[in-house]
Amino acid sequence: MLPDFRPGSLSASAREARGGVFRTTLDRRVLNQRVLGGALLATLLAALYHHNDPFERVALPTMAVLLGTLLATLAFTRAPLLITQTVGLVVGWVYLLAKVRYVLFVMGDAGLPMLLNLAPWAGVLLASHLWTLGPQGSAHLNVAALGSLAALLAIRVALDPASAQASVTGTVLQMLLAGGVLLLGQRGAAHRMTGDVRRAVLGQDTPGLDALTGLPDRVTLERQLEGAYRQSPEHLVVAAIAVDTQEPPDLTGPNFQVRLSAHVSRVLMSTVRDQDLLGCLGDGVVALVMRAPDARSARAACERLRVRVASRPLDGVNPTVTIGLVYADGHLDPQALLRAAEDTLGAARQFGQNRVLLGPAHPDPDGNAENLDALFA
């Protein structure tokens, strides 16, 4: 996900996040445990509600046992997540197909209310294929699920042609058609989102974005910074981040520094929190706008960011960045904050590369690096 560049993205609620500059996302294994826990709870409640139905008295407790086993597997083992997701989807489809078969071949139109209660869950199962397995991995399961449902319907009509006029037959047919439309819509939305993200990252045909990095240009970033400052100048941090010059492993490689700048920008976009702002100032310099509880926390976050960038090599070269940051104290307006961050970056680069300097500081006009020693203490 790309950072949110709206003026309200650095909201008061976002200021409460005190975990530094790295994005905080929920672990996929934990997320799947919660989903399975919710499905298990729903199954147990349904078992209590439908305890008089002969089919549900067997099917729901069996499904609850299977879901509980999957939940325990996720919680207490390191079984591959893909396998547990696939097994969970298969369990859901086996239950759904068994219930449709029970309604079609045993209950007939008398089972229409049961089928209507089941229909929304067929859509949920089809949608969850894409959520969990992705467009490629879900294709075979989609075909198998809808194909099995169509096969049940076809067998029922073949055995009893008069059942083609039954209400349950029409309902199952509608489930099939709705499932097909849902799958086509999901895949179209996924392709469109992929294209939108690619254009945003590459800055293609998007005004206000830098063509190389895909980040907002200086004018756009200044506007976003002013909006964040108007909302609240407290705890605001502006950091200027410069990509250090690196020698490519192959000296004949063209435009290595340009590629390195684009690479570092991608690393930054994938690292910072969604509520932080990133922008391109030009000449391999990126600006980060975030909120931190105090100056010490802001510097620590930038140190972690510097280490994260260095851990993402490009063509065998570990990139490094030099960072100059300024913590808002209420005496600098947005433009002054940005200029102070750039001046602090200039002072840090005078001293050397691959370091973080908390300002405000100004470059030594005489180029005397020794005068800056105290700033890094």
Side-chain angles (χ1 to χ4, degrees):
M1 182 182 292
L2 293 177
D4 186 356
F5 299 118
R6 294 172 297 176
S9 59
L10 295 183
S11 61
S13 59
R15 294 201 308 271
E16 299 301 323
R18 308 174 76 88
V21 72
F22 294 111
R23 65 166 69 242
T24 54
T25 54
L26 186 64
D27 181 80
R28 290 181 62 204
R29 183 172 290 271
V30 175
L31 179 60
N32 278 270
Q33 290 177 22
R34 295 180 180 180
V35 172
L36 278 176
L40 178 58
L41 179 61
T43 303
L44 293 174
L45 290 175
L48 292 175
Y49 184 76
H50 297 291
H51 64 278
N52 293 324
D53 186 276
F55 173 82
E56 300 291 22
R57 278 204 303 267
V58 176
L60 287 175
T62 302
M63 186 176 177
V65 170
L66 293 174
L67 289 176
T69 303
L70 279 177
L71 182 59
T73 301
L74 276 177
F76 302 111
T77 73
R78 300 305 298 174
L81 188 57
L82 179 61
I83 294 178
T84 56
Q85 288 173 331
T86 304
V87 172
L89 289 173
V90 170
V91 168
W93 275 111
V94 168
Y95 167 77
L96 186 143
L97 292 172
K99 193 165 183 178
V100 170
R101 179 188 177 280
Y102 176 72
V103 171
L104 283 177
F105 292 90
V106 178
M107 299 193 67
D109 280 351
L112 183 60
M114 182 185 295
L115 193 61
L116 292 176
N117 290 332
L118 185 67
W121 290 103
V124 171
L125 276 176
L126 284 173
S128 62
H129 293 183
L130 184 62
W131 304 341
T132 56
L133 304 180
Q136 300 299 324
S138 64
H140 298 297
L141 191 56
N142 286 335
V143 172
L146 289 183
S148 299
L149 191 60
L152 284 175
L153 186 61
I155 292 172
R156 177 58 180 158
V157 173
L159 293 176
D160 182 12
S163 65
Q165 305 298 322
S167 297
V168 291
T169 303
T171 302
V172 174
L173 181 60
Q174 289 296 319
M175 290 171 61
L176 278 171
L177 294 175
V181 172
L182 174 65
L183 290 179
L184 290 175
Q186 272 199 129
R187 291 185 176 274
H191 287 304
R192 179 173 182 178
M193 181 176 294
T194 301
D196 289 343
V197 170
R198 183 181 296 113
R199 284 189 294 272
V201 170
L202 298 179
Q204 296 175 342
D205 304 323
T206 308
L209 294 186
D210 177 69
L212 173 64
T213 63
L215 297 174
D217 57 23
R218 187 184 189 103
V219 174
T220 304
L221 179 68
E222 288 176 350
R223 184 169 64 250
Q224 301 294 341
L225 175 59
E226 289 174 357
Y229 188 90
R230 283 196 304 270
Q231 191 174 39
S232 175
E234 298 177 355
H235 309 302
L236 197 62
V237 179
V238 179
I241 306 169
V243 181
D244 297 330
T245 302
Q246 301 279 351
E247 290 295 334
D250 179 5
L251 297 180
T252 62
N255 302 322
F256 179 78
Q257 193 65 30
V258 174
R259 292 173 51 229
L260 191 65
S261 297
H263 169 74
V264 170
S265 297
R266 290 192 296 270
V267 173
L268 293 174
M269 282 193 290
S270 65
T271 302
V272 300
R273 300 168 301 184
D274 292 336
Q275 64 263 26
D276 299 328
L277 304 178
L278 278 172
C280 182
L281 302 180
D283 297 328
V285 179
V286 173
L288 168 65
V289 181
M290 62 178 180
R291 294 193 188 273
D294 51 50
R296 182 178 178 180
S297 299
R299 177 178 174 136
C302 288
E303 286 284 3
R304 293 195 296 271
L305 186 61
R306 179 183 63 83
V307 174
R308 175 64 65 90
V309 170
S311 68
R312 298 294 187 270
L314 175 67
D315 295 345
V317 174
N318 292 90
T320 61
V321 293
T322 300
I323 304 176
L325 69 145
V326 178
Y327 185 80
D329 58 3
H331 301 296
L332 297 175
D333 59 31
Q335 295 295 331
L337 271 173
L338 188 57
R339 287 194 303 270
E342 291 180 287
D343 289 341
T344 304
L345 173 63
R349 296 176 85 176
Q350 250 184 349
F351 190 85
Q353 295 186 348
N354 193 20
R355 63 190 65 249
V356 175
L357 175 60
L358 175 63
H362 298 276
D364 188 341
D366 299 326
N368 188 4
E370 285 76 9
N371 295 335
L372 299 172
D373 281 343
L375 294 175
F376 294 94

